Amino acid sequence: MSRSVEPLIVGRVIGEVLDPFNPSVKMIVTYNSNTLVFNGRELYPSAVVSKPRVEVQGGDLRSLFTLVMIDPDVPGPSDPYLREHLHWIVTDIPGTTDASFGREAISYESPKPNIGIHRFIFVLFKQDRRKPVVVPSFRDHFITRQFAEENNLGLPVAAVYFNAQRETAARRR
């Protein structure tokens, strides 16, 4: 297992949400053009309202990728009975570009954690070809592993997560 997945194991992303994988593509997630997402970073919900730029630094223009963003800690990390909550799906993202070049299958929903610290996970899969994906009709009880299996995506090629918790009214001012 590569050192780059260690934070995903410590953060229980690998295990609770994803099976072990070896990253083979670099994915860079940036909010508001200057807030870089890295594993375990805490971001305020007010800083992640708009959809981020997600760059795929791998493959070539003929390679296609699917991006999934989920929250496995809904409604709260101590009892995540709605696990996983789906925030975003973008398919057909050409390699060496960003998510804006793909097809948004499920629109971006900004994180709004209510109870405790939530993990928000971006997962990137390599597609074998351009194809429509089976998308869920609701956002709660999404299962990333099942989505990957139903759409023949295999194991992830990249993943990164950040933490967020409810902001106090004083913090939002």
Side-chain angles (χ1 to χ4, degrees):
M1 196 62 47
S2 120
R3 288 182 57 82
S4 62
V5 297
E6 285 178 10
L8 297 172
I9 295 168
V10 172
R12 299 179 334 276
V13 171
I14 290 179
E16 289 184 6
V17 179
L18 303 174
D19 291 324
F21 70 98
N22 287 313
S24 58
V25 171
K26 185 171 183 179
M27 173 175 60
I28 299 173
V29 181
T30 312
Y31 278 97
N32 305 318
S33 74
N34 64 353
T35 304
L36 185 64
V37 171
F38 54 81
N39 288 319
R41 181 175 189 179
E42 179 138 357
L43 297 176
Y44 292 109
S46 59
V48 296
V49 171
S50 300
K51 76 173 89 167
R53 176 181 165 98
V54 180
E55 297 174 64
V56 177
Q57 295 189 337
D60 56 35
L61 289 173
R62 293 180 309 264
S63 304
L64 296 171
F65 297 88
T66 293
L67 172 71
V68 176
M69 178 187 177
I70 59 106
D71 173 359
D73 301 315
V74 175
S78 62
D79 185 19
Y81 63 87
L82 297 175
R83 172 179 290 168
E84 301 161 17
H85 184 80
L86 178 61
H87 282 269
W88 199 23
I89 295 179
V90 183
T91 65
D92 300 332
I93 304 167
T96 73
T97 69
D98 65 64
S100 68
F101 290 87
R103 187 180 70 76
E104 193 171 65
I106 298 287
S107 63
Y108 179 78
E109 179 182 271
S110 62
K112 295 177 184 75
N114 285 319
I115 304 165
I117 298 171
H118 290 237
R119 296 164 293 166
F120 294 90
I121 306 167
F122 294 89
V123 186
L124 191 68
F125 296 95
K126 189 171 191 306
Q127 298 172 213
D128 57 359
R129 66 185 191 288
R130 186 178 304 272
K131 61 184 172 199
V133 296
V134 178
V135 294
S137 52
F138 46 89
R139 293 181 184 252
D140 286 332
H141 301 290
F142 180 78
I143 303 169
T144 303
R145 287 178 176 110
Q146 183 178 324
F147 172 79
E149 187 176 316
E150 289 172 355
N151 292 287
N152 298 314
L153 296 171
L155 290 172
V157 294
V160 67
Y161 78 98
F162 68 91
N163 295 322
Q165 60 185 312
R166 185 177 183 167
E167 287 180 76
T168 61
R171 170 65 189 107
R172 286 191 296 264
R173 283 188 218 152

